[in-house]
Amino acid sequence: MQVTETRSEGLKREYKVVLPADDLASRVESQLNEIKAKARIKGFRPGKVPVAHLRRLYGRSIMAEVMQEAVNDANRKIVEDNALRLAGAPKIDLPKDQDELEKAFESKADLSYVVALEVLPKVEVGSFDDVEIERLVADIPESEIDAAIKTIAERNRPFTPKDGEAVAETGDKVTVDFVGKVGGEEFQGGSAQDIDIVLGSGSFIPGFEDQIIGMKIGEERTVNVTFPEAYSEPTLAGKPAEFAVTLKAVAAPGTLDINDEFAKGLGFDDLEKLRQSMRASLEREASLVSRRKWKRELLDALDRKYSFDLPDELVEQEFSAIWRQAEAELKASGRTLADEGTTEEQERATYRRIAERRVRLGLALAEIGDVAGVKVSDEEVAQALFERARQYPGMEKQFIEFYRNNAERLAEIRGPLFEEKVIDHVLSQSKVTDRHVGKDELLTEVEAAEKAAEDEAQKGLGTAPAAAG
């Protein structure tokens, strides 16, 4: 085998490979002899089938396998001898001349072809002393803990059935059947039986619960409401509807003391232990919200910090994935790019810049993690897989087996875990300033930052990538 480098520009590499006819013929001969020892062909004794006959039967298919194996060997040799890190699969350019290819198949001529490669860029990690991050820390007041515990208490409040001529009042739990219609036609999901509602909880469409007040058990009533403009189902948003409601039962709220006994009923030693657990839970929630903001800022800083050539193949793959998703979302919304005040050319340019950012950050984070020795244990992957499987009750075992038997799918679990660990590593090496805020201020600032990021995306400046945060 002869390998000659013919191109080395940026991340592009090309090599001319010549596979000698004698070598290919020898490989074919070796395989034919192996077949001869095992072949069972009518008219011949075992092990006595002439090689020439086997060549007529299997020669071309064996040569195809031999060529593929030889090409794979050449690719491995190129990568190993040149210490290359590939960005994608090698591209093989075989001879266009069919006569030339046919001669190679018949072992009458060498097989000469070109292999094109794209390599990963070298990323100089460096230090993170120049990365400055502000981390918002939410202070959880006692009143918020009280409110959270009260919410739990309300969900566990006992109710006593009302009998006779009693009417439904605010705070009562009612059981109803209803049939909803829009424009005189029933709609999907608009009918239900034996549904419990605590009047005044605001769990139903605005105005629905208010019109149940005053009803008696067994009474039927038509409730008229209008779906909110921002309703989750677009086909119902902003539309008036009427519900035929039947009240089947009413129960009055009982008293519920928030004390040690209440806490024990939830599995805690006493009320103080419940409060400690609630504080820890609220602090975790706030920390996750804060993370969304500082993580985006950290990724922005890394995007500014690193500049290197990007593999065209990786960028194109990322762009294609983003574009398909954008097209699907646009189609689902029933809108066009013109409706959005843009053109396909503008959107493609925007999404390509986002794709480039994602690839750049993905490569940078991978190199940072490699240099730092970041690892994701099998136990961590198993735990994350189990948590994801819990979203499919009754199918957990099948879900877990599917992922464990599919390396590509399992990488979808491991990848985000690795990324988060790398992000935490970078944060630990950066200059971090904590600023204490109230929870409302935290939410406001995070929402404002995310809105600003969306606006930047519309201008083509990119957003934090899915593959890198």
Side-chain angles (χ1 to χ4, degrees):
M1 162 191 324
Q2 298 175 0
V3 178
T4 306
E5 186 178 73
T6 58
R7 181 188 180 191
S8 179
E9 299 174 4
L11 303 178
K12 306 289 187 180
R13 304 286 187 275
E14 282 188 6
Y15 297 86
K16 180 180 180 181
V17 180
V18 178
L19 302 177
D22 291 345
D23 181 46
L24 296 176
S26 176
R27 293 191 185 205
V28 171
E29 196 73 21
S30 177
Q31 290 205 25
L32 287 173
N33 285 325
E34 288 183 15
I35 293 175
K36 178 181 178 180
K38 304 174 184 177
R40 297 291 185 270
I41 297 178
K42 189 175 181 180
F44 297 94
R45 286 182 297 163
K48 298 300 182 180
V49 183
V51 171
H53 185 64
L54 292 173
R55 190 186 304 279
R56 285 193 295 273
L57 292 176
Y58 307 117
R60 290 187 68 83
S61 63
I62 291 176
M63 176 56 86
E65 293 176 4
V66 163
M67 282 187 173
Q68 184 61 62
E69 182 181 342
V71 167
N72 291 341
D73 289 344
N75 289 343
R76 282 191 291 271
K77 178 177 174 58
I78 291 170
V79 171
E80 291 171 3
D81 289 354
N82 296 279
L84 302 178
R85 297 191 307 159
L86 300 187
K91 292 182 172 58
I92 308 302
D93 186 11
L94 293 171
K96 300 294 189 297
D97 189 324
Q98 289 300 312
D99 290 339
E100 182 181 348
L101 197 57
E102 188 63 30
K103 287 179 181 179
F105 254 93
E106 295 174 359
S107 301
K108 295 178 180 179
D110 298 342
L111 176 62
S112 178
Y113 65 92
V114 174
V115 55
L117 307 170
E118 193 169 29
V119 300
L120 293 175
K122 185 176 182 180
V123 181
E124 298 291 346
V125 173
S127 70
F128 303 103
D129 295 343
D130 55 341
V131 177
E132 297 184 8
I133 298 296
E134 180 185 67
R135 182 170 55 189
L136 301 181
V137 179
D139 294 322
I140 308 298
E142 294 298 319
S143 59
E144 191 164 333
I145 297 174
D146 292 339
I149 293 177
K150 184 178 179 181
T151 298
I152 294 175
E154 288 296 337
R155 289 200 297 263
N156 289 274
R157 181 183 292 279
F159 286 87
T160 303
K162 288 183 176 181
D163 297 319
E165 296 294 313
V167 299
E169 300 175 286
T170 299
D172 287 348
K173 181 174 73 174
V174 298
T175 303
V176 299
D177 293 345
F178 57 79
V179 177
K181 295 182 179 180
V182 170
E185 299 290 334
E186 293 186 24
F187 58 91
Q188 186 174 3
S191 301
Q193 294 182 324
D194 296 325
I195 296 297
D196 289 337
I197 308 171
V198 176
L199 300 182
S201 65
S203 57
F204 265 57
I205 305 166
F208 188 97
E209 296 173 22
D210 293 341
Q211 296 177 60
I212 303 297
I213 295 172
M215 289 182 66
K216 296 181 180 179
I217 297 174
E219 182 180 346
E220 297 179 359
R221 180 178 293 182
T222 298
V223 172
N224 294 288
V225 297
T226 299
F227 284 98
E229 292 291 343
Y231 194 64
S232 58
E233 174 51 57
T235 60
L236 299 175
K239 293 185 178 180
E242 63 176 31
F243 288 84
V245 179
T246 301
L247 183 65
K248 302 179 73 174
V250 181
T255 58
L256 184 62
D257 296 324
I258 299 177
N259 51 26
D260 288 344
E261 290 304 312
F262 167 72
K264 288 177 181 178
L266 296 177
F268 295 90
D269 293 340
D270 52 36
L271 183 58
E272 182 57 31
K273 293 293 185 183
L274 171 59
R275 294 183 66 83
Q276 291 174 8
S277 176
M278 182 58 65
R279 173 176 289 282
S281 177
L282 293 174
E283 287 176 346
R284 280 195 302 272
E285 291 176 8
S287 178
L288 290 174
V289 173
S290 174
R291 185 183 183 90
R292 291 186 352 226
K293 182 175 184 294
W294 68 250
K295 179 181 175 180
R296 183 182 295 276
E297 293 173 356
L298 186 146
L299 289 172
D300 287 342
L302 294 182
D303 189 40
R304 293 189 298 268
K305 180 181 179 68
Y306 293 109
S307 177
F308 45 79
D309 291 339
L310 301 176
D312 291 338
E313 185 172 349
L314 294 185
V315 172
E316 188 58 38
Q317 289 174 0
E318 190 66 39
F319 168 76
S320 296
I322 298 171
W323 186 251
R324 283 195 302 271
Q325 181 180 351
E327 286 186 313
E329 291 175 353
L330 198 63
K331 183 178 180 180
S333 69
R335 296 176 62 81
T336 66
L337 291 176
D339 294 331
E340 301 294 332
T342 186
T343 65
E344 181 172 330
E345 182 180 5
Q346 291 173 321
E347 289 300 285
R348 282 183 174 274
T350 294
Y351 288 131
R352 186 162 296 280
R353 283 189 286 269
I354 294 174
E356 289 171 352
R357 171 187 163 102
R358 291 185 177 185
V359 171
R360 183 182 304 108
L361 285 172
L363 293 174
L365 290 173
E367 189 66 20
I368 293 168
D370 186 52
V371 171
V374 173
K375 303 292 183 184
V376 176
S377 69
D378 291 340
E379 290 78 11
E380 289 171 318
V381 173
Q383 181 61 36
L385 180 58
F386 177 72
E387 290 299 323
R388 187 173 294 191
R390 289 177 60 190
Q391 300 173 24
Y392 302 88
M395 299 180 63
E396 293 91 344
K397 184 178 180 180
Q398 298 95 312
F399 183 92
I400 291 173
E401 288 180 352
F402 172 74
Y403 270 79
R404 284 180 173 168
N405 295 327
N406 190 321
E408 204 169 295
R409 291 291 188 180
L410 203 58
E412 295 176 3
I413 304 289
R414 187 179 295 274
L417 295 176
F418 176 81
E419 176 189 299
E420 292 303 314
K421 282 194 165 188
V422 176
I423 291 292
D424 287 336
H425 167 74
V426 175
L427 185 75
S428 71
Q429 304 296 310
S430 304
K431 295 178 181 177
V432 181
T433 302
D434 286 340
R435 177 159 63 90
H436 290 260
V437 296
K439 189 174 181 181
D440 289 343
E441 186 179 355
L442 170 66
L443 293 173
T444 299
E445 291 206 25
V446 171
E447 289 172 1
E450 291 177 344
K451 177 63 167 59
E454 290 176 5
D455 292 342
E456 286 183 352
Q458 293 299 318
K459 299 174 184 177
L461 299 179
T463 60

